[in-house]
Amino acid sequence: MVNTSVQVVIFTLGQEEYAMPIEVVREITSLSEVRTIPKAPSYVRGLINLRGMAIPLIDLHIRFGVAKTEQTTFALITEVHGNQVGFAVDQVREVRILENIVPPPSLVTAPFIGGIVNLPDRIILKLIPEKILESNEVQGLCELTASR
């Protein structure tokens, strides 16, 4: 079954390209200062300050098991399970409409991969943002920022 078209933000992690539905992306920002959180899970890079709001920043390289090949320079500020979360990415490539999104093959067991788009010159993996983090993980991250 082929999904209908969807507007996405396309970004890179290492040599791979991923797409996140534009309706969950609240903002794209350059990464500057990241405050680390001692003893946080390895995929939690820390907190970023966005106009006075502390937002947890998730390192998608670690979360997805993708090797870093360049400096992570951007954060996609998204809404996941009703909370703002930042995802650290290498580059933001473009905003575009993807069509002919096919479900991932059965050997792809990552729950956050929602589909694959095979373009003439590249392959893009469409993400399901709410499955990147479990709701209890988001809740725990938001508890870090609640009284700050």
Side-chain angles (χ1 to χ4, degrees), residues 61-147:
H61 294 94
I62 295 171
R63 190 66 177 181
F64 292 178
V66 174
K68 286 187 184 187
T69 58
E70 56 183 281
Q71 182 67 27
T72 303
T73 55
F74 291 95
L76 297 179
I77 308 303
T78 65
E79 189 169 310
V80 178
H81 301 290
N83 297 286
Q84 286 202 7
V85 176
F87 292 114
V89 302
D90 295 338
Q91 298 279 327
V92 176
R93 288 270 167 93
E94 62 183 311
V95 173
R96 75 181 281 174
I97 294 174
L98 291 181
E99 297 174 343
N100 301 320
I101 303 168
V102 297
S106 59
L107 63 96
V108 175
T109 59
F112 49 81
I113 303 294
I116 298 173
V117 179
N118 189 5
L119 299 174
D121 59 341
R122 62 207 236 225
I123 294 174
I124 299 171
L125 300 177
K126 183 184 163 288
L127 300 177
I128 303 171
E130 60 271 11
K131 292 190 177 180
I132 295 172
L133 296 169
E134 301 288 329
S135 59
N136 63 332
E137 291 174 308
V138 174
Q139 179 63 36
L141 291 171
C142 291
E143 288 171 8
L144 288 171
T145 63
S147 60

